[in-house]
Amino acid sequence: MAQITASMVKELREKTDAPMMECKKALTEADGDMARAEEILRVKLGNKASKAAARITAEGLIGLYIAPDAKTGAVIEVNCETDFVAKNDDFIGFVNQLAELVASKNPADLATLAELPMAEGTVESTRAGLVGKIGENLSIRRFQRFETTDSLASYVHSGKIGVLVDFAGAEETGKDLAMHIAATKPKALDASGVSADDIAAERSVAEQKAAESGKPAEIVAKMVEGSVQKFLKEVTLLSQPFVKNDKQSVEQMLKEKGSKISRFALYVVGEGIEKKTEDFAAEVAAAAAGNP
């Protein structure tokens, strides 16, 4: 039996917002397996146990650029160590230059981007110089570039959420789509774009919930399928209720306006990165004891 530590319970609580005791019970049942413990909490507590999944777990900024003709554009994530640096003018300028550089030069990957000319040297030398000036490590994490025969639209929320949309239609429709995506964070345009792993995880939770109902097998099967279909409707853009008019879906809104969307990119700062947390009390105690 794995030892369940206070730090493990704290980590699970931060991920799920579930009560401390429930987190401890789930970790015990899962023999310390964090992923399994999260699944157990979802079965017991429903969506409450996953509402913290989109929390920002690292600092930085999302940069966005669209060319004047709205045919090429890029979104990029650049990370730093503290939110204080994310508000630094030099850092903001660096991120914005990178987004424009990706759009105009179309680098194949991060390594290629690092070697592109910037300022008096390259992107990498500029980054290194900024690290020396600011005093924090900076990393270029990811980017996407769109080129289209239709139009591009974008939306950035507080520098932390960025959306790039490839669509056909009025400019206002593109902006509405980008803002909707930032608000609802869909996983894909439609069900075909949702990963098999996501569907399998949802099916597993639904099966465990349905099994606890005590209903006949055929009813359980229908309950599971219903839960999976509900999940797909919630996480696919075209099926979601439109944020500006929840009486119609995004797909219905687009049809009404004679518009369409081909693809989108959604970046959330720090998504999927485990953020380091500081225990200042322990740090002071260690310093007082003469420990490094």
Side-chain angles (χ1 to χ4, degrees):
M1 177 67 70
Q3 182 182 0
I4 308 304
T5 64
S7 62
M8 291 169 67
V9 174
K10 180 175 180 289
E11 180 183 349
L12 185 58
R13 174 166 169 73
E14 288 175 349
K15 285 184 175 183
T16 65
D17 278 354
M20 283 286 192
M21 287 307 297
E22 293 295 338
C23 290
K24 186 174 182 180
K25 289 177 185 176
L27 281 164
T28 301
E29 185 178 337
D31 197 23
D33 185 322
M34 190 66 65
R36 174 58 184 152
E38 282 190 63
E39 187 172 282
I40 290 169
L41 285 174
R42 284 201 57 201
V43 172
K44 290 182 178 179
L45 304 177
N47 288 336
K48 181 179 179 182
S50 61
K51 73 178 185 179
R55 279 185 180 157
I56 295 169
T57 54
E59 305 304 338
L61 280 179
I62 303 299
L64 269 160
Y65 174 81
I66 294 180
D69 64 0
K71 301 296 184 184
T72 58
V75 57
I76 191 166
E77 177 182 356
V78 185
N79 298 121
C80 55
E81 294 180 38
T82 65
D83 190 51
F84 179 77
V85 165
K87 298 172 183 175
N88 177 281
D89 286 342
D90 290 333
F91 180 70
I92 294 170
F94 177 62
V95 175
N96 289 336
Q97 287 180 62
L98 284 173
E100 184 172 355
L101 200 58
V102 169
S104 61
K105 300 299 184 182
N106 192 20
D109 50 32
L110 288 171
T112 308
L113 173 61
E115 296 305 314
L116 289 178
M118 177 181 271
E120 301 299 317
T122 63
V123 167
E124 175 54 28
S125 67
T126 303
R127 184 200 67 81
L130 200 54
V131 168
K133 180 178 181 180
I134 291 176
E136 273 194 22
N137 189 30
L138 311 175
S139 62
I140 304 168
R141 184 185 180 201
R142 54 180 174 164
F143 65 81
Q144 276 186 263
R145 179 183 183 272
F146 283 179
E147 186 169 351
T148 183
T149 55
D150 291 320
S151 298
L152 299 178
S154 65
Y155 175 71
V156 181
H157 183 74
S158 301
K160 303 298 185 184
I161 303 172
V163 179
L164 187 62
V165 175
D166 183 351
F167 79 106
E171 183 178 346
E172 183 181 356
T173 302
K175 290 180 179 178
D176 283 347
L177 281 168
M179 291 182 73
H180 173 99
I181 292 165
T184 63
K185 299 180 180 62
K187 292 180 178 291
L189 276 179
D190 54 35
S192 67
V194 180
S195 75
D197 287 345
D198 284 342
I199 294 174
E202 194 64 28
R203 187 176 297 278
S204 174
V205 170
E207 286 172 347
Q208 292 174 70
K209 284 184 178 180
E212 293 177 358
S213 69
K215 297 183 183 298
E218 62 273 15
I219 301 298
V220 166
K222 289 180 180 178
M223 290 171 65
V224 170
E225 190 57 32
S227 293
V228 171
Q229 292 306 313
K230 181 174 181 289
F231 163 74
L232 290 173
K233 185 175 180 181
E234 290 172 349
V235 302
T236 52
L237 175 63
L238 295 177
S239 297
Q240 290 178 334
F242 181 41
V243 290
K244 293 179 75 171
N245 177 9
D246 61 9
K247 302 300 181 186
Q248 61 179 183
S249 67
V250 170
E251 186 172 28
Q252 290 169 333
M253 179 276 290
L254 290 171
K255 186 176 181 180
E256 181 182 277
K257 294 181 178 294
S259 299
K260 68 174 183 178
I261 177 170
S262 305
R263 54 182 168 164
F264 69 86
L266 167 65
Y267 278 12
V268 179
V269 167
E271 188 175 45
I273 298 175
E274 187 172 345
K275 187 177 181 180
K276 181 181 179 181
T277 57
E278 303 288 351
D279 185 342
F280 292 107
E283 187 177 315
V284 170
N291 297 325

